Amino acid sequence: MGSEVEVEARRLFSRLEHVGWSEEDCALIAPMTLEINKLKQEQDAVILAHSYQTPDIMYGVADHIGDSYGLSVLAQRLPQKKIIFCSVHFMGETAKILSPEKDVLVPKPAGCSLAESISPEDVRALRAQHPSAGVVAYVNTSAAVKAEADVCCTSANVVEVVAAMPQQDIIFIPDEYMGLNLRTLTQKNIILWQGRCIVHKEFSPETVAAVREQFPGVKILAHTECSPAVVARVDFAGSTSAMMNYIKDSSDEEFMLATECGLTDRIRTEFPQKHIVGSCGLCPYMKEIALKDILTALKAPTSEQIITIPEATLKRARRALDKMFALTAHTQHKKAKH
Ligand code: 13P
Ligand code: SF4
C-alpha cells in the first residue's frame, strides 16, 4: 500500500517508465499531480491534453488526450463547465468558440508558428486579390483569422472540406506545405500563404530515405504539415489521431513518425510492443506548458490563462467552424455508426 504520494508515484511510473522516467522522477512529481487531480475534482474541471504535451501532463493529470479537432469537439460535449486545455493558445480559443458558456483556460498562452504567420488584414488582402475564391482556414489560426474565413478545417478533415467547397479557387491559409499537398489530393486551384510549421518543415526526403535504408520494412508516417517531398515518400500521411489509428490497426511493429515527439511518447506508452525508430521534433510552443502552470490555472488563474474572445469575433469564427461541421456531417455520421 504505502502513503497516498507513494501510490501516486507508482501509478505514474506504470505509465512513464515506457518513456524513460525513473521511479525517483515519478516520486518527485507525485505531490503535484495529486494536488492537481484533487483540485480538478473539487472544481468539477476537466483537463484536456494535446498529443504533443509532455508525458507527465498526458498521463499524470489529463482526462483526455487527442488531436486539435477531437479535443475541441469533446470539450463541447463534456458536462464540466471548466476546461483546462493543455495545448497552444489557438486550440483553447477553438474550444471557447465552440463552448462560449464554459470557462476555458490554457496553462500558458503559447503560440504556434502557423497561427502567428497570418493576420486578419492579410486574409482581407488575399480576398481582395482573389474575389471569387473561397477561403479555407486551417484550425492553426487565431480566432480573429478564423472570423475572416468562409470555413475552417483541421488536418483530420482538410481534404474533405476543400473538396466540398463550391468554388474551384481556394485560398488555403496559412500552411503552405499543407496547401501544396492539397494540390495533389484535390482537383482545386489552391492559392497559398507562406506559413510553415517550424517542427514539420524540418523533416526531409533524405531523412526518410536514410531511415528506410537503416531499418528495412519500417513503416514511415508523417503529419500533413510536412513538405510534399516528404509526404510523397512516406507510407501514410495524416493528422496526429490518424497516425495513432494507423499504428493501432497495423500488424507491423517498426515505425518512424515524422512529427512532434509527444506522439512518439504516446505510442511508446500506449502500444509498448511497437518499436519507434528515427528522430522526432520538439515543438517549443507545446513544450512551454508544465505541471506548475496547470496548478496555477486551477488555484489562481492569471488573466492571460483565461480565454476571452470579443463577441463579434467569436460569432464570425463560430460560423466558419459550423460550416466545417456541415461540410463533413456525412462522414461524421458514418464514423458515429461504426
Ligand atoms: P492535429 O490537428 O493533428 O492535432 O495537429 C495540430 C498541430 O499543431 C500539428 O502540428
Ligand atoms: Fe504549431 Fe507546428 Fe507546434 Fe503544431 S507543431 S503547434 S503547427 S508550431
Side-chain angles (χ1 to χ4, degrees):
M1 278 296 287
S3 72
E4 202 183 14
V5 173
E6 284 166 358
V7 173
E8 175 68 351
R10 279 202 296 277
R11 178 187 78 82
L12 292 168
F13 184 63
S14 70
R15 305 295 269 162
L16 302 182
E17 66 173 326
H18 300 292
V19 285
W21 282 57
S22 67
E23 289 181 70
E24 291 73 30
D25 295 334
C26 294
L28 277 176
I29 63 161
M32 202 183 285
T33 55
L34 264 181
E35 190 177 359
I36 291 171
N37 288 328
K38 276 185 195 158
L39 282 170
K40 188 173 74 176
Q41 280 190 342
E42 279 165 28
Q43 299 181 9
D44 192 26
V46 63
I47 299 186
L48 309 179
H50 188 266
S51 299
Y52 294 165
Q53 290 295 287
T54 50
D56 52 339
I57 293 176
M58 292 195 282
Y59 300 107
V61 297
D63 299 291
H64 304 277
I65 313 170
D67 68 2
S68 56
Y69 176 80
L71 288 177
S72 295
V73 173
L74 188 69
Q76 216 180 354
R77 294 191 186 141
L78 289 168
Q80 288 89 352
K81 294 279 175 281
K82 185 187 270 193
I83 295 158
I84 312 286
F85 206 135
C86 301
S87 188
V88 290
H89 192 260
F90 79 79
M91 288 195 204
E93 277 192 333
T94 309
K96 182 72 181 176
I97 297 165
L98 292 175
S99 310
E101 74 291 355
K102 298 192 181 182
D103 294 328
V104 181
L105 296 103
V106 284
K108 274 278 176 80
C112 160
S113 63
L114 282 173
E116 285 166 7
S117 74
I118 191 160
S119 68
E121 293 73 35
D122 293 326
V123 187
R124 288 196 286 271
L126 278 167
R127 265 200 201 279
Q129 265 178 285
H130 307 278
S132 61
V135 178
V136 179
Y138 186 35
V139 75
N140 294 38
T141 44
S142 66
V145 164
K146 287 184 178 77
E148 298 293 333
D150 295 320
V151 60
C152 286
C153 71
T154 78
S155 49
N157 60 24
V158 55
V159 175
E160 195 182 355
V161 168
V162 169
M165 289 292 281
Q167 297 91 344
Q168 181 57 22
D169 293 345
I170 300 292
I171 298 170
F172 182 76
I173 53 170
D175 188 345
E176 185 177 25
Y177 281 164
M178 195 176 281
L180 287 166
N181 288 324
L182 283 168
R183 284 187 179 164
T184 318
L185 296 166
T186 68
Q187 308 296 313
K188 302 281 179 168
N189 174 32
I190 307 289
I191 299 154
L192 301 167
W193 183 253
Q194 303 80 15
R196 298 262 172 95
C197 163
I198 53 166
V199 176
H200 292 100
K201 77 179 174 64
E202 293 303 323
F203 293 97
S204 67
E206 290 76 23
T207 313
V208 173
V211 170
R212 282 210 195 283
E213 199 178 315
Q214 201 182 344
F215 303 97
V218 66
K219 287 283 178 288
I220 306 186
L221 281 54
H223 197 280
T224 32
E225 289 168 11
C226 288
S227 71
V230 167
V231 167
R233 286 165 177 80
V234 297
D235 298 290
F236 178 78
S239 68
T240 47
S241 293
M243 286 189 272
M244 278 289 284
N245 288 335
Y246 181 100
I247 293 180
K248 181 161 66 88
D249 297 339
S250 166
S251 55
D252 291 296
E253 282 173 8
E254 196 159 61
F255 300 90
M256 182 212 158
L257 277 87
T259 191
E260 215 275 344
C261 299
L263 198 71
T264 53
D265 288 338
R266 274 197 77 182
I267 305 294
R268 288 192 172 108
T269 308
E270 295 173 38
F271 308 108
Q273 73 283 9
K274 307 281 183 185
H275 189 212
I276 305 290
V277 300
S279 60
C280 52
L282 283 172
C283 173
Y285 305 102
M286 287 279 183
K287 280 359 191 203
E288 272 182 47
I289 298 160
L291 287 175
K292 67 174 175 37
D293 307 311
I294 302 173
L295 197 55
T296 310
L298 284 163
K299 277 173 130 172
T302 61
S303 58
E304 57 173 20
Q305 289 179 317
I306 302 167
I307 301 277
T308 52
I309 304 169
E311 201 175 325
T313 307
L314 189 143
K315 280 199 172 131
R316 291 174 67 215
R318 175 70 190 241
R319 230 179 22 214
L321 282 165
D322 282 345
K323 177 94 180 277
M324 168 181 86
F325 293 124
L327 290 181
T328 56
H330 179 65
T331 326
Q332 290 314 311
H333 181 66
K334 270 204 308 206
K335 274 187 194 160
K337 279 174 75 178
H338 283 91

